[in-house]
Amino acid sequence: MITLRPSNERGHAYHGWLNSYHTFSFANYYDPDHMGFRALRVINEDWVKPGRGFGTHPHNDMEIITYMLGGAVAHKDTMGNETVIRAGEVQAMTAGTGIAHSEINPSREEDLHLMQIWILPEAAGLTPNYDQINVSSEEKRGTWRKVAGRNPGAGAVHINQDVDLYATVLSEGDRLSYELRAGRYAWVQVVSGKLSLNGVSLEAGDGAAISDESLLDVQAHSDTEVLLFDLA
């Protein structure tokens, strides 16, 4: 079964410096029918104006992934990490027992464009952790490139939950399949472009909850970037 979450039905918040779309309930946007899917709790697509961003604020008991799409973000946290994350990079934080961090667009000219993803952890009170990787478009082209997981292997960030996150970049006409093991679920989020998923049409910003399917068939109808969450 594939349940579509259309882009134009997402929650929306505009603060001048921040333009944000919420796939699931977040902050002042509350929809009891869209509180998350399995362990997936937040998918926010954010555009942040130059020189602006999120000042120091706390988190706990959450796995937080930042998937960079454009521009850069200057990150600083109470674990002692201070770095710049650029387009094509993926950041993960285990908030665990508690962290505070800031995320600021350091550019004077370019908007920051990112997707922030929150995943519920497998346990409360974990030790905070930070991870960051670079994944080129070529590494994602035509294949499911794992970028995060509980057992990530080389070249992916670690999260404390039974979730694997994959990304792919497809050209128009490309076709890519993914086999779901028995008892597993999936969420597909279209970052850009147009595609069909088992015959269901999706466009940029659309998401889809998937259950009781054994094979996912993705066909790109334009140049396309896609995230795939394989969930317990």
Side-chain angles (χ1 to χ4, degrees):
M1 181 171 70
I2 297 176
T3 303
L4 186 62
R5 175 62 163 151
S7 173
N8 61 7
E9 294 181 10
R10 294 181 295 178
H12 182 225
Y14 181 73
H15 302 287
W17 64 272
L18 170 67
N19 190 22
S20 183
Y21 287 86
H22 312 317
T23 295
F24 304 117
S25 293
F26 185 83
N28 292 329
Y29 168 63
Y30 174 72
D31 182 343
D33 293 328
H34 296 95
M35 297 299 296
F37 181 70
R38 312 298 294 179
L40 183 56
R41 178 60 189 84
V42 167
I43 302 177
N44 288 350
E45 185 174 10
D46 294 341
W47 288 262
V48 180
K49 292 295 184 184
R52 303 298 298 272
F54 306 93
T56 302
H57 59 283
H59 294 284
N60 67 287
D61 290 331
M62 193 64 69
E63 303 294 302
I64 301 171
I65 299 171
T66 300
Y67 188 87
M68 291 289 296
L69 298 172
V73 59
H75 167 90
K76 187 174 183 179
D77 65 46
T78 50
M79 292 181 280
N81 299 294
E82 189 169 354
T83 185
V84 175
I85 311 157
R86 305 185 187 280
E89 295 189 308
V90 182
Q91 173 210 62
M93 290 187 296
T94 294
T97 54
I99 61 165
H101 71 127
S102 61
E103 308 283 351
I104 306 296
N105 181 357
S107 175
R108 295 183 178 182
E109 300 176 350
E110 186 178 10
D111 281 3
L112 161 62
H113 184 198
L114 59 84
M115 299 189 76
Q116 185 167 98
I117 298 154
W118 292 8
I119 294 173
L120 299 169
E122 59 192 1
L126 297 170
T127 301
N129 188 57
Y130 182 90
D131 207 356
Q132 182 179 334
I133 59 167
N134 180 66
V135 184
S136 70
S137 293
E138 286 310 307
E139 290 179 74
K140 296 179 281 189
R141 187 164 299 282
T143 189
W144 294 114
R145 170 61 157 87
K146 184 188 281 191
V147 297
R150 185 167 66 181
N151 299 300
V157 294
H158 176 261
I159 55 173
N160 293 284
Q161 183 52 272
D162 187 7
V163 175
D164 288 322
L165 172 57
Y166 298 88
T168 190
V169 172
L170 303 173
S171 299
E172 183 176 1
D174 285 353
R175 198 163 194 163
L176 187 62
S177 63
Y178 184 85
E179 186 173 348
L180 271 178
R181 288 172 286 138
R184 301 291 292 187
Y185 299 79
W187 182 276
V188 167
Q189 188 72 28
V190 184
V191 177
S192 62
K194 299 179 180 180
L195 60 85
S196 58
L197 171 65
N198 291 13
V200 178
S201 296
L202 289 88
E203 299 185 357
D206 290 347
I210 298 148
S211 58
D212 299 320
E213 300 278 349
S214 59
L215 187 67
L216 305 182
D217 176 55
V218 174
Q219 183 168 6
H221 300 304
S222 69
D223 292 345
T224 301
E225 185 169 2
V226 186
L227 296 180
L228 168 65
F229 299 82
D230 185 325
L231 302 141

